[in-house]
Amino acid sequence: MGRLIVTGGAGFLGAGFVHHVIRHTDHHVTVLDALTYAGNRASLDGLPADRVAFVHGDITDAPLVDSLVSRADAVVHYAAESHNDLSLANPRPFVDTNVTGTFTLLEASRTHDVRFHHVSTDEVFGDLGEGSDAPAFTEDSPYRPSSPYSATKAASDMLVRAWIRSFGLRATISNCTNSYGPYQHVEKFIPRQITQVVRGERPKLYGSGSHVRDWIHADDHSAAVLAILERGRIGETYLIGADCERTNREVIERILALMGQPSDAYDHVADRPGHDHRYAIDASKLREELGWMPRHSDFDEGLSATIDWYRTHESWWSAAKDSAEKFYAAREGAGFPADTM
Ligand code: NAD
Ligand code: DAU
């Protein structure tokens, strides 16, 4: 393998993957990242300069992408517009980055016959329905994306599948559940609630809070992507998940408890339009074929460590928190449907 390009390597999961690769392999990494509001170079601090290079650029910039890919052995594609709430407010960047950006990377990888791994989401399958005990998603579940974000991720998965079949691209896809851990942008659910409490504000729960997410620690997600990159069968899709379903209400109550607050010290706010009710992943294929297992299986322990990280890294998140909360306040002001609360 040797020389990897990691797109979106200054984001939450991309940065976590780069740290993981440097710890566990001999690969050299070139990060390609546009440093949007979601990217933070400080997430790559402390990595060895002789093994990690940083290129500030856009994945839709075809000449730049072609030149970088021509010198690489593999592309691991994390870069995306990743937040559902923003995709409801302004979908265009999601189409540009998630669809056109993926297309640009695929074309360069095909031209130079470079191994490609596409990091995607369980949200491409839509949701499992309210109060549902429907079995978890598998690699054969139909695509039924709900939001502009998940629709653009579904589109990018389809492009990858077409490039595999039509052009013989040496590619794999992974679809993972909700990830958490250090370096996650404070617009997202878990870090938003932790940083609310750190700032003396109340956590915010959308709607009734009965929505279910299937949580995985970011390190376990990284280990799975590396296993697929190195040992996955070309052309295959692997689902990644750690069997950790929780309602959003349960997660907020655990955060409050772990931070020494009363369990009801949060606010219900208006629900997200089109809000997917439940996601759950069956990761048997990944476990059985590649022997991958989650190492952070104690959710309370993972949450506590994540809380500690945000408590001790306020300078990393403080400015992003101010702008994320401005967005949420403006959205509330614009009258998201309060009757769904
Ligand atoms: P993130 O928003 O934290 O980071 C995205 C990164 O991509 C940022 O560094 C940003 O600067 C960069 N980027 C955005 N547009 C770009 C462009 N046009 N060119 C170059 N760089 C650009 O996202 P994340 O949560 O780390 O998610 C990373 C990937 O993992 C995404 O593809 C997402 O769909 C997927 N995923 C995320 C989760 C999750 O729970 N976070 C779960 C499953 C899959
Ligand atoms: O399932 C994988 C996906 O997980 C990834 O593809 C996305 O990139 C990632 O953002 C995440 O999507 P979600 O929409 O599930 O994550 P988010 O953190 O935005 O919200 C998690 C749940 O918490 C969701 O049901 C909405 C709810 N929520 C969110 C916020 C920000 C709240 O109740 N309150 C909040 O303040």
Side-chain angles (χ1 to χ4, degrees):
M1 202 75 69
R3 297 161 303 169
L4 310 185
I5 292 175
V6 178
T7 71
F12 164 47
L13 290 172
F17 181 74
V18 176
H19 282 275
H20 187 87
V21 164
I22 296 306
R23 265 199 311 275
H24 296 285
T25 75
D26 295 329
H27 303 316
H28 182 275
V29 175
T30 298
V31 170
L32 172 60
D33 198 295
L35 295 179
T36 66
Y37 80 96
N40 189 338
R41 272 217 67 168
S43 304
L44 298 168
D45 282 355
L47 290 165
D50 59 337
R51 289 191 56 204
V52 181
F54 183 83
V55 176
H56 183 194
D58 200 298
I59 58 167
T60 61
D61 179 343
L64 172 67
V65 165
D66 186 81
S67 140
L68 291 173
V69 172
S70 71
R71 288 173 270 137
D73 299 304
V75 174
V76 187
H77 177 32
Y78 279 92
E81 287 293 337
S82 68
H83 192 33
N84 275 300
D85 290 325
L86 288 184
S87 83
L88 295 162
N90 181 22
R92 178 170 290 281
F94 289 75
V95 176
D96 293 343
T97 288
N98 301 358
V99 183
T100 308
T102 302
F103 162 75
T104 307
L105 289 159
L106 286 170
E107 280 294 81
S109 302
R110 153 165 104 102
T111 303
H112 300 289
D113 186 25
V114 167
R115 170 85 170 86
F116 188 87
H117 180 73
H118 182 56
V119 179
S120 192
T121 168
D122 58 357
E123 294 194 15
V124 298
F125 303 120
D127 67 0
L128 288 161
E130 184 128 10
S132 160
D133 54 3
F137 297 125
T138 70
E139 284 77 6
D140 298 322
S141 295
Y143 274 49
R144 289 188 318 153
S146 312
S147 72
Y149 162 68
S150 52
T152 58
K153 290 299 290 187
S156 64
D157 287 14
M158 292 302 164
L159 291 177
V160 179
R161 288 177 179 213
W163 262 241
I164 292 168
R165 173 146 177 171
S166 302
F167 303 123
L169 185 74
R170 292 180 295 125
T172 41
I173 299 174
S174 55
N175 299 87
C176 187
T177 54
N178 283 66
S179 309
Y180 75 98
Y183 300 113
Q184 186 166 30
H185 195 282
V186 288
E187 69 193 353
K188 302 291 180 3
F189 179 58
I190 286 180
R192 183 180 187 206
Q193 313 315 336
I194 294 171
T195 53
Q196 286 292 99
V197 179
V198 171
R199 283 197 165 176
E201 306 285 343
R202 286 162 70 90
K204 307 290 179 195
L205 186 62
Y206 292 175
S208 67
S210 62
H211 306 82
V212 175
R213 295 294 182 266
D214 188 358
W215 292 98
I216 184 172
H217 194 281
D219 281 349
D220 287 328
H221 189 165
S222 293
V225 168
L226 187 61
I228 297 165
L229 179 71
E230 294 187 331
R231 295 180 282 115
R233 282 184 293 138
I234 296 300
E236 292 291 311
T237 289
Y238 294 86
L239 303 197
I240 307 172
D243 297 327
C244 181
E245 288 186 58
R246 297 283 187 284
T247 66
N248 293 339
R249 195 180 324 110
E250 286 171 325
V251 174
I252 282 203
E253 287 172 2
R254 282 316 296 155
I255 290 171
L256 285 166
L258 292 167
M259 296 184 80
Q261 304 293 315
S263 65
D264 60 352
Y266 62 88
D267 297 328
H268 286 274
V269 297
D271 207 351
R272 173 186 281 172
H275 197 170
D276 279 342
H277 198 269
R278 172 178 167 235
Y279 308 135
I281 281 288
D282 176 350
S284 306
K285 176 176 171 180
L286 176 68
R287 287 172 186 256
E288 286 160 22
E289 267 190 31
L290 303 183
W292 171 88
M293 293 240 311
R295 301 174 69 88
H296 299 267
S297 45
D298 185 330
F299 188 52
D300 253 22
E301 207 174 283
L303 266 186
S304 296
T306 304
I307 290 167
D308 286 348
W309 191 87
Y310 281 93
R311 274 187 165 137
T312 51
H313 290 77
E314 191 156 352
S315 61
W316 182 90
W317 55 261
S318 187
K321 174 80 178 166
D322 293 342
S323 31
E325 291 308 322
K326 258 188 215 143
F327 165 76
Y328 285 123
R331 194 188 62 168
E332 295 295 316
F336 258 39
D339 56 348
T340 58
M341 283 164 54

